[in-house]
Amino acid sequence: MLKYLYLAGCLFVTLHLSAVPTAFAINPTEDSTKIFQREMDNYVDSIKKAQHYETGTIKLEGGKAEITVPAGFKFLNKKQSQYVLTTLWGNPPENSNNTLGMIFPEGSDPFADSSYAFVVEYEDIGYVKDDDAEKIDYKEMMKNLQEGEQASNEERIKQGYAGIHLIGWAQQPFYDKQNKVLHWAKEIRFDDQEGAHTLNYEIRILGRHGVLSLNAVCKISELSVVKADINKVLHMATFTDGNTYFDFDPKVDNVAAWSIGGLVAGKVLAKVGFFAIILKYLAAGWKFIALGFMALIAFFKRLFSRRKEEKEMVAFNTVSEEEHKEEVAAEDSPEHTHPPGEEQQPEDKP
């Protein structure tokens, strides 16, 4: 999905354990799988009810751009999108600092097993010159990127993340010079995904002061779905008057260090680890792992620990009761009973 991973999993936060029903103490023998499924369902439902999607024309934070959401799509605002990316999908908070929102297909959401979503960001890098657009050899670029993987992966591994391997272009870069829109897609393999390949579809819309980025990550099998919608997505985001590419003033505006080729190649393996946590679950269709899942795990550990203590207490009480019965039975046994008519004599006292 996203996730530069961006949904890479087309696949949610912190489970408030204090709100968990107390029924567990009432029925400690209930099957743990049923408990887990019920609580996960309740958990997902509560998140879905809290999410508020928008349609129509939406002004993005900062005022430099806006999103016009057509029929068939919906938009999740900045705050809720950051919650999805960090709390639900387990990405580092600092990696969502530039996030302005997320675009989902109408029938999808952060929990969908088979879909995608675009993460919308704004990068204030300056005016990107496009003089090199028609001169780039993208086959050669891919070859160079693949040859440079080793150094990048060594750094990723040092930071505790799996290596990334570029399989090739899933969609060769294309620059729409008239509308100042660049887009491309990469097929990627992560070392810890056991053969599952990821699709990373990226869009860059050039503006006067920077670039709007729309990034989607999902399973490679969903490429056809993304491509079927891509023309609509390409035209959703636009810069406002005074902030468009054509409003550039060389006397006062900054020129970016990036070129068209730099936008495509420069950040292929950037943002180390972003979405890495969730990516490895894509093949299984999981999207709501991260903290929500871990919270449930912690909850069940406590639940099972409590059950164990309860069982041990029941066993202790049972043993104590049996021991008491044995003591009573022993006292009533013939060895401890005097013959009829014979009374026990008191012990002689000095």
Side-chain angles (χ1 to χ4, degrees):
M1 128 165 11
L2 309 146
K3 330 150 210 173
Y4 285 78
L5 167 350
Y6 258 117
L7 177 204
C10 290
L11 306 156
F12 236 119
V13 153
T14 299
L15 179 65
H16 299 293
L17 298 179
S18 60
V20 175
T22 58
F24 302 114
I26 297 175
N27 184 14
T29 61
E30 183 177 0
D31 182 78
S32 61
T33 301
K34 292 182 179 179
I35 296 175
F36 182 92
Q37 187 61 57
R38 183 179 67 247
E39 291 310 309
M40 182 60 79
D41 290 343
N42 291 338
Y43 168 63
V44 171
D45 288 342
S46 67
I47 298 303
K48 287 184 176 182
K49 290 178 181 178
Q51 290 175 331
H52 300 288
Y53 295 92
E54 302 174 68
T55 57
T57 299
I58 302 156
K59 297 288 185 181
L60 298 178
E61 184 177 287
K64 293 182 178 180
E66 60 186 22
I67 293 281
T68 300
V69 185
F73 294 88
K74 56 188 180 182
F75 180 80
L76 196 63
N77 69 23
K78 175 180 179 177
K79 185 176 180 179
Q80 294 181 90
S81 294
Q82 290 179 325
Y83 179 78
V84 169
L85 296 174
T86 59
T87 303
L88 298 188
W89 289 348
N91 294 286
E94 61 271 18
N95 283 348
S96 65
N97 289 340
N98 294 329
T99 298
L100 297 178
M102 297 174 72
I103 300 170
F104 289 87
E106 186 176 35
S108 182
D109 57 43
F111 301 87
D113 289 337
S114 181
S115 186
Y116 70 89
F118 277 90
V119 176
V120 182
E121 293 187 331
Y122 176 70
E123 298 175 275
D124 191 12
I125 61 175
Y127 176 85
V128 178
K129 291 187 175 181
D130 60 358
D131 301 342
D132 65 332
E134 298 177 357
K135 306 172 186 178
I136 303 171
D137 184 339
Y138 288 112
K139 290 183 179 180
E140 184 66 21
M141 177 186 287
M142 176 55 67
K143 179 181 178 182
N144 293 335
L145 290 172
Q146 290 171 331
E147 291 176 349
E149 281 181 0
Q150 183 174 351
S152 297
N153 283 331
E154 287 176 355
E155 182 60 29
R156 286 182 61 82
I157 293 172
K158 287 180 181 179
Q159 296 189 35
Y161 298 106
I164 298 177
H165 304 281
L166 293 173
I167 305 304
W169 300 117
Q171 172 67 54
Q172 182 165 298
F174 176 78
Y175 179 58
D176 180 346
K177 192 174 183 67
Q178 180 179 349
N179 294 304
K180 307 304 178 184
V181 178
L182 170 69
H183 63 104
W184 71 93
K186 303 182 298 290
E187 182 176 354
I188 301 171
R189 178 179 63 80
F190 284 72
D191 283 339
D192 58 354
Q193 287 191 49
E194 298 185 4
H197 288 192
T198 297
L199 171 67
N200 185 189
Y201 209 112
E202 305 193 47
I203 300 171
R204 300 291 182 270
I205 303 169
L206 310 188
R208 175 180 179 179
H209 304 290
V211 178
L212 268 175
S213 300
L214 281 69
N215 305 286
V217 178
C218 55
K219 290 172 283 189
I220 193 65
S221 60
E222 292 166 322
L223 174 60
S224 60
V225 177
V226 178
K227 292 181 72 172
D229 294 336
I230 199 63
N231 284 334
K232 294 179 181 178
V233 177
L234 289 173
H235 298 96
M236 285 188 196
T238 57
F239 284 96
T240 54
D241 290 343
N243 294 296
T244 72
Y245 194 82
F246 306 100
D247 293 317
F248 173 70
D249 184 346
K251 297 179 181 179
V252 296
D253 295 332
N254 296 323
V255 175
W258 303 87
S259 62
I260 294 297
L263 290 178
V264 178
K267 296 189 177 183
V268 170
L269 299 182
K271 290 196 176 181
V272 173
F274 198 41
F275 292 111
I277 296 176
I278 210 79
L279 276 173
K280 59 185 178 181
Y281 296 103
L282 295 186
W286 285 75
K287 262 204 260 177
F288 47 92
I289 307 297
L291 299 186
F293 180 75
M294 298 311 296
L296 284 176
I297 292 298
F299 169 78
F300 285 115
K301 282 185 177 180
R302 287 194 289 275
L303 172 65
F304 297 143
S305 176
R306 183 166 70 249
R307 285 185 174 179
K308 181 179 180 182
E309 292 175 358
E310 290 173 351
K311 289 181 179 179
E312 290 177 346
M313 183 59 69
V314 170
F316 174 78
N317 292 337
T318 300
V319 171
S320 298
E321 184 177 346
E322 290 299 324
E323 290 177 345
H324 177 68
K325 289 180 179 180
E326 290 177 359
E327 291 176 357
V328 172
E331 291 176 357
D332 293 338
S333 67
E335 298 152 359
H336 292 81
T337 304
H338 301 290
E342 182 178 333
E343 297 182 357
Q344 182 179 10
Q345 297 300 318
E347 294 182 359
D348 292 335
K349 295 182 180 180

